[in-house]
Structures are given as structure tokens and as C-alpha cells.
Amino acid sequence: MGQPLAAGLQLLASGGDFADGVIAFGGRLLGSEQLATFDRNAARLLSEAGEPVLLL
């Protein structure tokens, strides 16, 4: 299973959106230090998973 797919499925299993997990993974892969989002649920779930997130 590819890493982006695994990241999406992991967030989906936590109650989030598949796409948010893939976006967070892709951002890290491209060198981003933090994900910025308006999605409160995604920010909470990603933060709980140890991802640096900025809720706008």
C-alpha cells in the first residue's frame, strides 16, 4: 500500500476525510512544515496524530 493511500486511510479510520490525510502527507513530502486548514475536525485529528497543523 502506498504511503499517501495509507495516510488517507488512517485519517478516514479516525473519523476524518480521506483527502485530508492525503493532502497532509503530500505537503510533508513536498517539504511543508505545517498544514493550514479551515477544517476544525481535520485539524483536531491531524494534531492528535502528531501532525503540525494551523487552524485558520
Side-chain angles (χ1 to χ4, degrees):
M1 187 180 310
Q3 293 292 338
L5 179 60
L9 291 175
Q10 181 179 3
L11 196 62
L12 186 63
S14 298
D17 294 332
F18 176 84
D20 291 330
V22 173
I23 291 167
F25 178 84
R28 281 193 320 276
L29 189 65
L30 294 172
S32 174
E33 295 179 11
Q34 185 177 46
L35 174 74
T37 183
F38 292 105
D39 187 332
R40 290 179 186 195
N41 188 48
R44 180 183 57 79
L45 291 171
L46 289 166
S47 181
E48 288 173 358
E51 294 293 330
V53 178
L54 172 63
L55 180 60
L56 300 173

